[in-house]
């Protein structure tokens, strides 16, 4: 049997960061920046007011007080974007709004709150420091500096910075297109009536959602039966729209393990047993003329889910241009014993991880779900973590300190 680490390496060998493309800012949202963005200008580009008030020469207000306010004629009105008022002479002032360019001759802005708000003449009741309420050219970004580094994930803040330095487009690794296809003659679309021996299909919903949560464009192709011709045809059909294909089902040792059967004849997919539980049967390789990566996950819903978290997620990260990090791990104290874990296979147990802040070996606890069968998906909804039971360990006492992988949060 293959180790989990070996399978992760084999999966990662199949993928590389997607070719960067230049995208409009909102299309780039969620993408990963492929090249540095540097600013061709200083920000602010000109000295401007940080408040609504009056642009003055600070010296003119030296003697101002509440008892004896200084009165100045207001010679101009400067809204943001207005460059017509170029200068104020000594003994005069201009009404100025936030973001408006500071006129020559002024070296301070007096907030409107310090004044009577006058339009022709304004009374100002206190002195002002030179530089008050002025945003200086270049105090945010100096011309030529890098404002976003390659590898940056383009969220709200990053897009704001790109836009503020005037970029309409940015070079990004696009969101990977993930196509999800399930197999199984017993599967029925949820929402439709079900017959004897059938089950409602859930894997493709789970994996499509997980791929979306992982920053990909995911397409649920749905499911096909266990007939080799239609499985083959559907896989070939989705290749044009896929940067990676995920299938579920049909990869174990049964008679109708159609994915294994079809892909053994086509492409480079190899099928292995990985020393883990759940999720032992795994396939990985490429198919089609463009050697599209394909990962064939087991059909049991929990196996499929765990396989996504361990193997698919790092591959998606690499396609996105991110480091292929595994799930983040913490140590936690078990709040219940684990009576059995198979020797020679690493178990991943669905669990609820909680921070209780206690002193001692770790401030976290992990409560393993009581239903751990690979078909028992009820515990998936509340689980936020996977407890790792190493290959050599066959049982664990309550209170044992274990490694726990945090599952990604729903958005
Ligand atoms: P298989 O790997 O195809 O042998 O399937 C293993 C188990 O997982 C069987 O009990 C299937 O009915 C179940 N299963 C397979 N595919 C799905 C699916 N897409 N949704 C829900 N259960 C599935
Ligand atoms: Mg099946």
């Amino acid at each position: 049997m293959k180790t989990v680490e070996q399978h992760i390496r084999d999966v990662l060998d199949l993928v590389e960061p997607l070719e960067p493309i230049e995208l409009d800012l909102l299309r780039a949202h969620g993408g990963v920046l492929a090249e540095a963005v540097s600013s061709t200008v200083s920000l602010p580009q000109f000295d401007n007011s940080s408040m609504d008030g009056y642009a003055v020469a600070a010296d003119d207000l030296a003697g101002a007080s509440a008892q004896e306010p200084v009165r100045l004629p207001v010679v101009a009105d400067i809204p943001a974007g207005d460059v017509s008022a170029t200068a104020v002479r000594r003994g005069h002032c201009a009404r100025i709004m936030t973001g408006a360019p500071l006129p020559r001759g002024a070296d301070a802005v007096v907030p409107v709150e310090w004044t009577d708000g006058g339009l022709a003449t304004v009374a100002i009741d206190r002195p002002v420091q030179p530089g008050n309420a002025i945003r200086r050219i270049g105090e945010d970004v100096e011309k030529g500096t890098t404002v976003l580094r390659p590898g940056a994930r383009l969220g709200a803040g990053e897009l704001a910075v790109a836009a503020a330095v005037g970029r309409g487009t940015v070079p990004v690794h696009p969101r990977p297109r993930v196509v999800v296809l399930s197999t199984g003659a017993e599967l029925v679309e949820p929402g439709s009536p079900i017959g004897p021996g059938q089950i409602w299909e859930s894997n493709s919903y789970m994996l499509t959602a997980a791929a979306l949560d992982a920053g990909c464009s995911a397409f649920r192709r749905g499911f096909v039966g266990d007939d080799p011709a239609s499985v083959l045809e559907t896989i070939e059909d989705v290749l044009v729209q896929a940067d990676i294909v995920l299938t579920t089902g049909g990869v174990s040792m049964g008679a109708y393990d159609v994915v294994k059967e079809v892909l053994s004849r086509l492409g480079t997919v190899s099928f292995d047993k990985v020393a883990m539980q759940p999720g032992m049967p795994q396939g990985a390789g490429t198919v089609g003329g463009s050697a599209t990566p394909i990962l064939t996950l087991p059909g049991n819903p929990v196996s499929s889910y765990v396989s996504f978290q361990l193997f698919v997620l790092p591959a998606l990260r690499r396609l996105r241009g991110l480091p292929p990090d595994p799930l983040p791990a913490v140590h936690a104290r078990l709040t219940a014993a684990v009576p059995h874990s198979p020797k020679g296979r690493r178990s991943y147990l669905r669990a609820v991880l909680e921070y209780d802040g206690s002193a001692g070996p770790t401030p976290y606890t992990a409560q393993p779900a009581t239903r751990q069968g690979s078909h028992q998906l009820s515990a998936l909804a509340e689980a936020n973590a996977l407890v790792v039971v190493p290959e050599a360990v066959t049982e664990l006492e309550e209170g044992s300190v274990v490694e726990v992988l945090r599952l990604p949060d729903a958005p």
Side-chain angles (χ1 to χ4, degrees), residues 21 27-28 75 97 99 147 160 174 176 180 210 216 232 237 283 303 310 341 379 407:
I21 48 175
R27 288 203 164 268
V75 295
M97 306 305 148
V147 290
V180 181
C216 299
L232 182 59
D237 193 46
S303 310
L310 297 184
S341 182
L407 293 168

Side-chain angles (χ1 to χ4, degrees), residues 167-262:
R167 293 291 293 258
T169 64
V170 280
V172 293
H173 301 287
R175 290 176 185 254
R177 297 164 307 155
V178 182
V179 175
V180 181
L181 173 68
S182 290
T183 64
E186 72 282 28
L187 305 175
V188 172
E189 183 62 28
S192 305
I194 201 160
Q198 298 184 316
I199 61 168
W200 281 297
E201 200 278 325
S202 58
N203 287 351
S204 67
Y205 284 101
M206 167 182 72
L207 295 174
T208 306
L212 288 169
D213 289 352
C216 299
S217 292
F219 305 96
R220 174 182 178 262
R221 179 56 197 248
F223 54 90
V224 282
D226 285 327
D227 144 53
S230 41
V231 171
L232 182 59
E233 194 186 322
T234 313
I235 289 177
E236 285 178 333
D237 193 46
V238 300
L239 289 180
V240 289
Q241 57 179 128
D243 296 311
I244 187 168
V245 176
L246 307 178
T247 67
T248 75
V251 291
S252 41
M253 307 306 284
Y256 298 96
D257 283 327
V258 64
V259 171
K260 201 168 173 177
E261 187 187 323
V262 164

